[in-house]
Structure formats: structure tokens, C-alpha cells
Amino acid sequence: MTSRYRIVSLKFYHWITQSVITLRNGLPHGCYLCQEQTPHFRHRLCNTCREDLIFPKQLCIGCAKSISATVKWCGQCQQSAPQFILVTGGHYQTPIKQLLSDFKYRQQMSLARELAHFIARRIYKLIAQDIIDMPQAIQPVPLHWRRQAKRGFNQAQLIANELSQYLNIPVIDNIKRHRSTQSQAELDAKQRQHNLDNAFQLRKPITYDSIALVDDVYTTGATMHEISETILQQQTIEIQHWTVARTIISD
């Protein structure tokens, strides 16, 4: 009886869930950018606007400059390969710039799924090209608790959670931001390099051989490099840097 009851309960739960999804899909759910109906209520962009997001064909995994060939590095990075692999969906320009800004500063948290989809597209492409390997876990860049309380959420955490679903790898929480620092966006490149000194702490050893640090935007990379160095001071693992977008740099 117990087993039969469990089967009936699961079937009923599945029926209720599908009914709610069908009902919700029947209600209006417009694209965030063009207001046209999307294929599913959880999609914030229609298929057309998704395809219109500027997605450079190939990016260097050292600096994220656009390159023409299916290779790992641009000419400059071939001469001096960066310490960490950098994976970004594309450049920090409209419309992805608008989506990131609204997500972060206008509390449009449901956009996390679309932003994660954008970078997941790049990740799967690079894996298919045998340029990168899939890491074993994802570590979002942490916010100091005061800043997170003020904002109400950690944008990197929300993106990482959605990426976990797309990539089927776990999210970990092993890094703590124990020192409050000035916002990197308010500083120049030189100030950014030292603003984060000793700002992070490893809560506990990471039990994976490879991870990806996840954030929304990559500018100088100071934050991710400081976290990576904090980890590598205590253990040896492979670390990749993943962001939705990279600010445009000159060639």
C-alpha cells in the first residue's frame, strides 16, 4: 500500500505541476526586449532577441579579444599565456549591457536565466571545439555581506545557480569576502589591483580538482585573480574564470 500510495502521489504531483505550467504558459509572458510572446513563461527573451544578442564567433580564452581562427589564444596571449582561462559570452555592449545593468541595478533577477544561457552557449561551444574542459564545480564571486544586504542578492550567485542547471555541475560556496572594499567600478585600473588585497578567505578546502569562478562582468580581472590566488595559496586546483561579458579592450 505504501509503495502504491507513493506512486499515485507522484503521478498526482506531476499532473498538478504540468497543469500549473500549462496554465501559466497560457497567460501573457512577453520578451523583456521586444514584448513579443516567448516560447515559455520562464524565458525572458524570445527566440529572435536571443539570436540577436551579439555573440562573437571566436574569442581568445586569455583576454577575450575577437579572433578569426578556431584557436585558443590571440597573438599576444600566445607570446605570454595568461595564468587563467577566461570564458565570456561576448563583449559588454548593447543589448547584453542593458540586460546586465537592469539585472544588477533594477532588480530584474529573472534575467539571470537568460544571462546564464548566453555564457553557457559559449562554454558548450568551447568544449565542443576541445578548447576547454568542463570544470567539476562552480564558485560564484561572493559579495561582502553588507553589500549583499543592501542590494538584496548576489548577481554572481544567481547566474551560477542557473548555469548549474544548464551544465549539470554543482555550485559551491567555499569563498568568503571578509573585508568590505570600495566598488571596483569606482576605481581606475591601478587602484583596482590593490583594492582587493586580502579581501577574500577560503572557508574550507575545495574538494574538486577543477572549478570555474563565475561573475557578471570582467574588466581588469582583479577580483577573480585575487580569489584565485587566495585558493592557490592553500591548495592546487585548476581554475577557470567565467563571466557573462567582458568590457571591450583595444587591439
Side-chain angles (χ1 to χ4, degrees):
M1 287 294 292
T2 302
S3 178
R4 177 180 292 182
Y5 177 77
R6 184 179 295 117
I7 292 172
V8 171
S9 297
L10 288 173
K11 287 183 176 180
F12 181 71
Y13 173 79
H14 178 72
W15 178 81
I16 288 292
T17 301
Q18 291 303 119
S19 297
V20 170
I21 291 174
T22 300
L23 178 62
R24 181 62 186 86
N25 266 331
L27 300 175
H29 44 92
C31 171
Y32 188 79
L33 293 177
C34 74
Q35 307 310 314
E36 290 293 326
Q37 191 85 339
T38 63
H40 191 279
F41 74 90
R42 292 192 67 192
H43 295 181
R44 293 306 313 276
L45 297 181
C46 65
N47 290 336
T48 300
C49 286
R50 270 189 173 184
E51 290 302 315
D52 283 346
L53 295 179
I54 300 172
F55 187 79
K57 185 175 181 180
Q58 205 71 25
L59 297 174
C60 170
I61 62 167
C63 65
K65 286 182 181 177
S66 294
I67 50 180
S68 56
T70 306
V71 294
K72 292 184 177 183
W73 316 103
C74 66
Q76 184 176 349
C77 288
Q78 284 180 10
Q79 296 176 13
S80 179
Q83 184 178 3
F84 304 104
I85 287 174
L86 172 61
V87 177
T88 68
H91 299 134
Y92 188 58
Q93 56 188 332
T94 302
I96 202 69
K97 181 178 181 179
Q98 177 191 340
L99 296 178
L100 281 164
S101 179
D102 289 354
F103 166 59
K104 190 172 178 178
Y105 300 115
R106 297 182 61 190
Q107 289 75 49
Q108 297 295 318
M109 291 176 282
S110 61
L111 289 174
R113 185 177 180 85
E114 296 298 340
L115 297 171
H117 179 272
F118 185 64
I119 185 175
R121 181 180 172 188
R122 175 74 62 193
I123 292 163
Y124 276 124
K125 180 175 182 178
L126 292 175
I127 289 173
Q129 293 173 334
D130 201 27
I131 290 178
I132 68 169
D133 295 320
M134 183 74 79
Q136 296 171 345
I138 303 171
Q139 167 66 58
V141 169
L143 288 177
H144 188 269
W145 68 268
R146 288 194 185 93
R147 183 165 295 167
Q148 182 162 337
K150 182 178 180 179
R151 182 172 295 163
F153 63 97
N154 177 359
Q155 69 277 3
Q157 180 74 59
L158 297 184
I159 293 170
N161 290 344
E162 295 293 345
L163 266 178
S164 174
Q165 298 298 313
Y166 279 122
L167 306 178
N168 195 31
I169 54 178
V171 177
I172 60 175
D173 182 24
N174 289 49
I175 302 294
K176 176 183 180 182
R177 192 167 193 153
H178 67 96
R179 185 170 70 82
S180 182
T181 59
Q182 191 173 350
S183 172
Q184 290 287 89
E186 300 170 358
L187 305 175
D188 60 33
K190 185 176 181 181
Q191 291 172 323
R192 288 172 186 238
Q193 295 300 323
H194 297 288
N195 182 48
L196 297 166
D197 289 351
N198 302 312
F200 300 97
Q201 183 180 40
L202 190 62
R203 295 177 187 269
K204 55 186 177 180
I206 296 171
T207 58
Y208 298 95
D209 296 323
S210 62
I211 66 167
L213 298 180
V214 172
D215 207 355
D216 55 342
V217 179
Y218 188 100
T219 304
T220 66
T223 301
M224 288 187 155
H225 277 79
E226 183 65 26
I227 294 173
S228 298
E229 292 301 331
T230 298
I231 296 171
L232 295 176
Q233 285 173 7
Q234 300 189 44
Q235 60 181 117
T236 301
I237 63 172
E238 181 184 330
I239 302 173
Q240 297 182 35
H241 296 170
W242 290 358
T243 65
V244 176
R246 203 265 197 248
T247 54
I248 298 175
I249 54 177
S250 58
D251 292 331

